[in-house]
Amino acid sequence: MSGQVRLDRDGEIAIITIDNPPVNATSQAVRAGILEALGGIGDARAVVLTAAGRTFVAGADIKEFANAPLEPHLPEVVLALAGCDVPVIAVLHGTTLGGGLELALGCHMRVAMPGTKLGLPEVSLGIIPGAGGTQLLPPLAGLERALEMITGAERVGAAQALEDGIVDAISDESDPRSAGLAAARQVLETGLPDRGAGKLDGRHPDDPVFGKMAAQLEKSARGQIAPQKAIEAVRRSLDLPLAEGMAAERALFQDCRKGPQRGALVHLFFAERAATKLKDGPEPRSFDTVGVIGAGTMGAGIAMACAAAGYETVIVDRDQAALDRALTRISGSHDRAVQRGKMDAAQAEAIAGRLRIATSYDALSGAGLVVEAVFESMEVKHAVFRELDRVLPEGAILATNTSSLDIDEIGSVTARGADVVGLHFFSPAHVMKLVEVVRAKGTSEEALSTAMAFSRRIRKVPVPVGMVPGFVGNRMLFHYGREAESLLEEGATPAQVDRVLRDYGMAMGVFAVRDLSGNDVGLAVRKEWRAHYPHHPFPEVIDAVVAEGRTGQKAGKGYFDYREGDRTPHDSAEVAAIIEAVAARRGITRRKIDDDEIRDRCVLALVNEGARLIGSGAARSAGDVDVVYRYGYGFPAWRGGPMYDADQRGLAEVLARTREFHDRLGPWWEPAPLLVDLAEAGRSFTG
Ligand code: 3H9
């Protein structure tokens, strides 16, 4: 038997243990090992299927998807478990996901350890469950619930899984092996649990739920192929016997596996894991108390995330009323989460119990890390950092949430520059997952490693970046936005640009985003960028739009018009006239611009700047850039990120187009040296 699967006996019970660290993925050796073990159970009267280490099987081995699957395939193993002559009981712990849950669904009974998380997350990797998940889950959980879980890649806890009928019991034994043996003895005594007629009684393949779900996903999973294929696979479970249904599912799985979205999403899966870890970084410092300076929206959002992750959290603000408002906002947000079933009342209460407010910095004397989220002014930041230097214990990390100021300069008023780091959160901070962890010149490796570990613990996706204007994300965004604005001057309309970008897969168009965040704010940021590029020509539509009081949704008008109480953008004749006037003043003859040009100029502006950032060392890798863009800026995950997408197009073509724009449009388009080098060497960013 392979070293990754063991078979042993306890009396009449055979125990199959999967042991393939780190997450017991169903590699070829594991699949073969389970089949061999099943063949070797002899006269056992029941079988327990369990796994060693921190988790039951967390899925198929994602690294294997790029190649043709090797035999034996997972469906064969699942069918062998289902067809075993004696009852097979799966014991689940840790994260039982994808192929892991499919193995368990093939068994005759499932027992979960408390704290287990279960799910079929395949669509988040651009595939569908390929080993019976779409066939075996619906009879247990019901059609609606199974569709929801599979198409939404939903992970549920053990209690929910019991309620849904996915597991038969939650064990109170101390470990999975004992749990399995206890359950097997029970089955030998009283038989398998009776599940009655099953939850699919009377449901048929033309049930309206399928069409309804597909229509819903057209909106909520726009552009994604796998969720729609998953619906089709579930539908087949209603008119085919198990083995044939699994064959139909397998064919749909293979379509997805070979398709482009699987490659993009798997790239992001590994890029995210690489981005959020420091290779050979020093041990992070540990602490229980965190401080947040500033009780505004950003500060409150950060504090919520910290308290939710188990940190004792102190919010400090000079203004008591602002502190009170922050607490009200936080409790309102918790109430909504409880109402929507995202957390229970006891959890909300525990989080609230970890939050304290104070008007004096002295309340931070026990803090191991403090994040400053105050007004973006060097003078104000200096005042804060002087106070932090005064009250914080030695070894505490001083983090700033600045998006534009020099972090070394912020830290210069302290006697501990090595412990100063940037933590650039995105708004709303309790929702947005990205945190750029900014390494200033003076930041020590230990401070960086601690800031990364802290960010992971508060369930963010931290990406280390260098101290350059705009860091990585906003710097790329600047180039994308100014290119979109130049397109207006040259002949496009805000509606056309936004439609093209949404068709490409962006969550929102660039001008709708600007109207949401405020064009006056955008104009102030634009002024800073002018200082960084004194010799480059800037488009001037934003100046004219703000001059007319069109500051965005808050004013009811921006690049688009808005009706009272409605966020739907409508074309604006006034904006059309503003754009015409700006173009005329600048001597630009407007022309019809095709959609391909709009897409390429916006997306390749991201790619060229991304390449420049990697080339200069401000971003460590193309994977890091892709993760920043996916989590901070609504880039379609199924395209893998701007750098991965450029690779799919081919860097020779990307370079040719960039050079074409450079010849026609001037200095903004000078190709990044890294792009030139890689394209000319026939290489890629992510390969
Ligand atoms: C599937 O099952 C298809 C089926 O329908 C069958 C079709 C035939 N494969 O995340 P972590 C690695 S699709 C290979 O840092 P955590 C990961 O790269 C699959 N490697 O830890 C990392 O390596 P390294 C469905 C995997 O504790 C290390 O394990 N399953 C896999 O924060 C630790 O991971 C999923 O989508 C894998 N399946 O989280 C589950 N999983 O140390 C995907 C992990 O070298 N995985 N690795 O960087 C997860 O969600 C999380 O990794 C998990 C652990 C929750 C398991």
Side-chain angles (χ1 to χ4, degrees):
M1 192 165 312
S2 80
Q4 296 172 5
V5 179
R6 293 192 295 275
L7 173 65
D8 70 324
R9 280 288 280 261
D10 186 310
E12 297 179 297
I13 302 165
I15 300 136
I16 302 176
T17 307
I18 301 165
D19 190 359
N20 180 25
V23 295
N24 290 315
T26 58
S27 62
Q28 192 271 344
V30 167
R31 302 191 297 267
I34 297 173
L35 286 184
E36 203 184 326
L38 278 176
I41 60 169
D43 59 357
R45 291 182 55 221
V47 179
V48 169
L49 179 67
T50 181
R54 61 181 168 129
T55 183
F56 189 73
V57 177
D61 191 334
I62 298 171
K63 292 186 210 85
E64 287 186 354
F65 290 153
N67 310 316
L70 298 173
E71 289 186 348
H73 303 314
L74 198 58
E76 193 186 323
V77 182
V78 171
L79 284 169
L81 289 165
C84 186
D85 293 334
V86 297
V88 187
I89 296 121
V91 189
L92 317 179
H93 72 289
T95 42
T96 298
L97 300 171
L101 183 53
E102 291 176 303
L103 282 175
L105 292 171
C107 297
H108 306 103
M109 180 181 175
R110 285 152 295 282
V111 177
M113 302 303 288
T116 308
K117 291 258 189 265
L118 299 87
L120 292 170
E122 282 87 345
V123 297
S124 63
L125 295 169
I127 51 174
I128 66 165
T134 63
Q135 312 297 296
L136 294 163
L137 189 64
L140 295 173
L143 203 47
E144 280 76 6
R145 199 58 200 108
L147 281 169
E148 243 170 46
M149 280 187 67
I150 295 170
T151 60
E154 191 183 322
R155 297 178 187 199
V156 298
Q160 181 68 49
L162 184 65
E163 197 180 317
D164 287 336
I166 305 167
V167 299
D168 300 288
I170 298 178
S171 176
D172 50 14
E173 297 287 333
S174 59
D175 61 90
R177 186 185 170 94
S178 320
L181 288 172
R185 286 186 196 112
Q186 180 78 41
V187 167
L188 289 181
E189 237 172 69
T190 55
L192 282 163
D194 178 9
R195 296 195 191 92
K199 291 187 179 168
L200 292 182
D201 236 12
R203 307 301 291 262
H204 39 81
D206 51 9
D207 195 293
V209 70
F210 294 111
K212 213 172 112 202
M213 196 78 184
Q216 233 170 336
L217 288 167
E218 289 286 340
K219 289 193 196 129
S220 61
R222 193 162 48 89
Q224 291 176 46
I225 296 166
Q228 299 286 355
K229 297 256 186 204
I231 295 181
E232 182 54 22
V234 172
R235 184 207 292 273
R236 305 307 304 270
S237 75
L238 292 176
D239 62 355
L240 293 174
L242 179 62
E244 284 171 47
M246 280 177 67
E249 173 196 68
R250 183 80 180 165
L252 291 161
F253 164 83
Q254 292 288 25
D255 285 351
C256 293
R257 187 185 69 77
K258 291 179 195 152
Q261 297 193 352
R262 190 269 309 154
L265 287 156
V266 168
H267 158 70
L268 273 178
F269 177 85
F270 288 112
E272 180 182 329
R273 274 149 188 83
T276 54
K277 290 172 190 158
L278 288 180
K279 243 198 199 143
D280 308 322
E283 264 305 292
R285 295 175 195 156
S286 74
F287 45 86
D288 303 318
T289 303
V290 169
V292 178
I293 313 295
T297 317
M298 184 57 97
I302 297 170
M304 259 168 91
C306 295
Y311 286 112
E312 294 298 324
T313 306
V314 190
I315 313 178
V316 174
D317 198 302
R318 294 251 182 256
D319 180 358
Q320 181 66 46
L323 287 168
D324 294 338
R325 278 196 302 276
L327 282 190
T328 310
R329 225 181 358 249
I330 292 172
S331 74
S333 172
H334 285 159
D335 288 349
R336 284 190 296 280
V338 171
Q339 273 159 22
R340 288 201 307 259
K342 300 254 180 226
M343 64 170 77
D344 60 39
Q347 275 171 310
E349 203 175 311
I351 297 172
R354 286 192 286 271
L355 272 167
R356 274 189 298 137
I357 52 175
T359 52
S360 162
Y361 282 77
D362 293 327
L364 296 173
S365 60
L369 181 147
V370 172
V371 190
E372 158 281 306
V374 300
F375 185 65
E376 195 75 339
S377 128
M378 190 56 85
E379 210 183 326
V380 178
K381 306 263 185 202
H382 274 167
V384 170
F385 271 69
R386 275 194 199 95
E387 283 291 282
L388 292 179
D389 198 26
R390 180 179 68 78
V391 298
L392 289 183
E394 200 187 317
I397 304 295
L398 286 67
T400 169
N401 183 46
T402 184
S403 58
S404 60
L405 299 173
D406 186 296
I407 294 172
D408 290 294
E409 199 184 331
I410 294 178
S412 67
V413 295
T414 71
R416 33 176 141 185
D419 289 333
V420 175
V421 65
L423 279 179
H424 183 217
F425 287 84
F426 289 69
S427 194
H430 63 292
V431 177
M432 296 292 286
K433 290 190 89 68
L434 179 65
V435 178
E436 287 179 311
V437 181
V438 191
R439 182 204 296 261
K441 283 196 204 75
T443 308
S444 70
E445 286 298 311
E446 207 182 337
L448 192 74
S449 162
T450 306
M452 293 285 292
F454 159 75
S455 305
R456 279 199 305 272
R457 176 156 162 205
I458 63 170
R459 308 183 79 103
K460 299 294 170 196
V461 177
V463 183
V465 299
M467 178 62 241
V468 292
F471 310 136
V472 168
N474 282 350
R475 194 179 178 91
M476 289 168 66
L477 179 73
F478 158 67
H479 288 278
Y480 168 81
R482 58 135 195 86
E483 199 58 35
E485 205 181 311
S486 293
L487 284 160
L488 299 185
E489 292 182 348
E490 291 169 42
T493 65
Q496 184 191 8
V497 173
D498 276 15
R499 174 183 52 73
V500 170
L501 294 174
R502 278 179 52 78
D503 287 352
Y504 176 77
M506 296 292 188
M508 287 173 80
V510 60
F511 296 110
V513 171
R514 285 186 175 193
D515 277 354
L516 187 64
S517 54
N519 296 318
D520 45 346
V521 179
L523 184 59
V525 173
R526 167 64 59 83
K527 285 189 177 136
E528 287 169 24
W529 283 110
R530 277 184 192 274
H532 295 302
Y533 293 98
H535 306 301
H536 284 59
F538 277 71
E540 291 173 10
V541 176
I542 191 167
D543 308 65
V545 163
V546 174
E548 294 302 324
R550 304 191 65 99
T551 52
Q553 281 194 21
K554 60 188 171 189
K557 55 183 187 174
Y559 288 93
F560 299 102
D561 285 338
Y562 299 89
R563 297 188 184 131
E564 185 90 32
D566 183 3
R567 289 165 180 267
T568 316
H570 298 279
D571 287 351
S572 158
E574 188 182 45
V575 169
I578 291 173
I579 294 170
E580 299 253 356
V582 171
R585 179 163 47 77
R586 306 191 72 209
I588 298 166
T589 309
R590 298 184 82 238
R591 63 190 164 92
K592 186 175 175 325
I593 300 187
D594 66 39
D595 291 357
D596 282 358
E597 178 172 349
I598 291 175
R599 186 203 57 218
D600 282 358
R601 282 179 57 185
C602 293
V603 174
L604 298 186
L606 290 177
V607 172
N608 200 32
E609 193 57 23
R612 221 179 280 288
L613 285 159
I614 301 162
S616 72
R620 289 180 310 179
S621 67
D624 279 12
V625 171
D626 285 342
V627 171
V628 165
Y629 240 72
R630 184 243 181 284
Y631 284 106
Y633 299 86
F635 196 91
W638 50 269
R639 287 197 187 273
M643 309 316 279
Y644 179 88
D645 196 39
D647 283 347
Q648 302 318 297
R649 190 162 171 182
L651 293 193
E653 191 187 319
V654 168
L655 177 61
R657 195 77 164 136
T658 305
R659 283 185 166 144
E660 180 197 325
F661 293 148
H662 188 209
D663 291 345
R664 184 148 64 81
L665 302 161
W668 289 116
W669 281 99
E670 188 178 344
L674 180 69
L675 170 60
V676 176
D677 290 352
L678 291 175
E680 289 180 348
R683 293 173 56 202
S684 65
F685 290 123
T686 60

